[in-house]
């Protein structure tokens, strides 16, 4: 038995396993719209978007939520974590390999909240095709990386509907 496990372990090291294989699906998103200042909170629009993300992902098997220790990232992640009854786990955006290691222990799906200058590299580190660089105005795109595939799907978080504009 030990011999077979050793062969499997060595094969995995030699052949290389894509990091996203541990979690079935990883949803990577930039924090949503933020206010100004040092360590800003989300704006009302950003808070509404975070609630929409929670609604979109609540039934997708998410078992772990990760965010950088910034207020805007935490507030983007918090509604889903609260709805699922789990905590938001902080990660260092300067250490993407440490995040990949943490994700390796996740069973199920995971949400990762990053920043415009980290999300494309995170998607690539997770085994997905690297998306184009993001601008400071890019909000509301969820990049979906599935285990065993470098294809990346994009899901757009729909903007809030202004009830005053739709009323007759």
């Amino acid at each position: 038995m030990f011999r077979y496990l050793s062969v499997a372990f060595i094969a995995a090291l030699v052949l290389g396993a894509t990091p996203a294989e541990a979690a079935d699906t990883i949803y990577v998103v930039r924090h949503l719209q933020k206010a100004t200042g040092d360590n800003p909170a989300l704006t009302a629009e950003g808070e509404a978007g975070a609630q929409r993300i929670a609604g979109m992902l609540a039934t997708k098997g998410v078992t772990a939520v990760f965010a950088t220790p910034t207020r805007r990232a935490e507030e983007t992640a918090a509604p889903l974590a609260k709805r699922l009854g789990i905590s938001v786990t902080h990660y260092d955006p300067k250490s993407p390999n440490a995040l990949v290691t943490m994700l390796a222990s996740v069973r199920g799906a995971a949400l990762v909240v990053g920043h415009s200058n980290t999300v494309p590299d995170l998607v690539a580190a997770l085994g997905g095709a690297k998306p184009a660089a993001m601008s400071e105005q890019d909000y509301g795109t969820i990049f979906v990386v599935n285990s065993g595939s470098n294809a990346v799907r994009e899901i757009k978080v729909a903007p809030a509907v202004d009830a005053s504009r739709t009323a007759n």
Side-chain angles (χ1 to χ4, degrees):
M1 176 74 162
F2 177 74
R3 184 176 182 197
Y4 293 112
L5 291 175
S6 296
V7 170
F9 178 73
I10 291 168
L13 286 176
V14 172
L15 297 175
T18 58
E21 286 184 13
D24 298 331
T25 304
I26 302 173
Y27 300 94
V28 183
V29 66
R30 178 191 181 201
H31 64 78
L32 296 172
Q33 292 85 345
K34 63 181 180 174
T36 58
D38 292 339
N39 199 20
L42 293 180
T43 62
E45 182 180 8
E47 289 174 2
Q51 292 295 335
R52 287 192 300 281
I53 289 174
M56 293 168 67
L57 300 183
T59 61
K60 300 295 184 187
V62 173
T63 60
V65 176
F66 296 87
T68 64
T70 60
R71 190 170 175 190
R72 59 197 176 272
E74 291 170 344
E75 290 179 359
T76 299
L80 178 61
K82 182 177 180 181
R83 187 176 286 200
L84 298 175
I86 60 178
S87 298
V88 175
T89 301
H90 288 159
Y91 73 93
D92 182 352
K94 295 176 184 170
S95 300
N97 290 337
L99 174 62
V100 169
T101 299
M102 287 190 285
L103 286 164
S105 66
V106 172
R107 297 294 173 247
L111 171 65
V112 176
V113 181
H115 301 270
S116 61
N117 62 342
T118 65
V119 165
D121 290 332
L122 283 175
V123 170
L126 294 168
K130 185 176 179 176
M134 300 178 80
S135 77
E136 278 297 307
Q137 304 310 312
D138 287 331
Y139 296 105
T141 301
I142 301 171
F143 298 94
V144 185
V145 181
N146 289 305
S147 174
S149 172
N150 72 345
V152 176
R153 287 185 305 121
E154 293 183 18
I155 301 172
K156 299 291 185 184
V157 178
V161 176
D162 183 348
S164 67
R165 294 170 141 198
T166 59
N168 291 335

